[in-house]
Amino acid sequence: MMREETDREDLLREASALVERVEFTATGFAAPIVAGFRRNGALSLFFDADPVYQFNTTGELRRAFRQGHLIKAENRRLFELKRTRNRGQTVLLKSELDSAATEQLLGELTGKLTALLQQLSACQITIVGQVPPAGNVVPRLTRVLAAIASAPVVIATAPNAV
């Protein structure tokens, strides 16, 4: 996940774990969006620096970065990780999101996915850049988002991209 806000052009250029990626603007979204796929097909979505949503290969939510907080999936539950510094040491404190916070996050995610899918389906986007340059990531992104958005978002059993 991102440690600080950076230029989206840098993310497009430097997110080498995402072997196929695209940056675009879409009607109704204030900032450019970067979407990319890992070699195994796992999707990551960056709505500017925050929020970020990452899925595993079956479309389950595995990680998120929202409102400045890192969130990871474990055993189909979401946990927030907070960094604290003690005596020159950084410690990650983990706490489970309660059902209301989980439902709020999933509701926000579903709303963003639905709105984004509508814009993609209606060709209401403008591509800013793409890796590989001659690639065609948008149709793949549209198919994957349609599959994820066709049912309630499922929380993964683990935060890894498998």
Side-chain angles (χ1 to χ4, degrees):
M1 289 297 167
M2 298 179 50
R3 288 180 289 230
E4 58 186 68
E5 290 187 35
T6 59
D7 182 42
R8 295 295 95 211
E9 181 181 11
D10 292 342
L11 181 60
L12 184 65
R13 184 176 54 245
E14 296 172 5
S16 58
L18 303 176
V19 295
E20 289 185 280
R21 52 198 182 271
V22 63
E23 178 179 0
F24 57 93
T25 58
T27 304
F29 292 90
I33 298 163
V34 174
F37 294 93
R38 292 178 167 273
R39 192 167 309 286
N40 67 1
L43 171 66
S44 293
L45 286 171
F46 298 80
F47 293 88
D48 201 22
D50 188 341
V52 175
Y53 301 103
Q54 296 183 330
F55 301 88
N56 63 19
T57 56
T58 59
E60 298 171 335
L61 179 65
R62 66 183 187 86
R63 288 175 46 162
F65 185 78
R66 180 176 151 267
Q67 299 173 352
H69 297 254
L70 177 61
I71 298 164
K72 71 175 190 170
E74 281 185 22
N75 299 316
R76 306 230 181 261
R77 299 186 326 251
L78 295 176
F79 292 83
E80 182 177 84
L81 302 173
K82 291 184 182 178
R83 293 185 203 282
T84 60
R85 300 197 195 304
N86 299 350
R87 299 181 202 121
Q89 177 181 2
T90 301
V91 177
L92 279 178
L93 300 176
K94 180 171 89 170
S95 60
E96 185 175 359
L97 294 184
D98 64 23
S99 60
T102 297
E103 290 303 315
Q104 181 181 12
L105 183 145
L106 294 177
E108 290 171 7
L109 170 58
T110 299
K112 284 192 177 298
L113 294 181
T114 301
L116 181 56
L117 184 56
Q118 288 172 348
Q119 295 305 309
L120 288 166
S121 298
C123 298
Q124 297 294 315
I125 67 162
T126 302
I127 295 176
V128 175
Q130 185 169 244
V131 174
N136 197 7
V137 182
V138 173
R140 181 180 185 188
L141 175 61
T142 304
R143 284 191 310 275
V144 170
L145 285 180
I148 293 170
S150 67
V153 175
V154 175
I155 299 169
T157 58
N160 57 346
V162 179

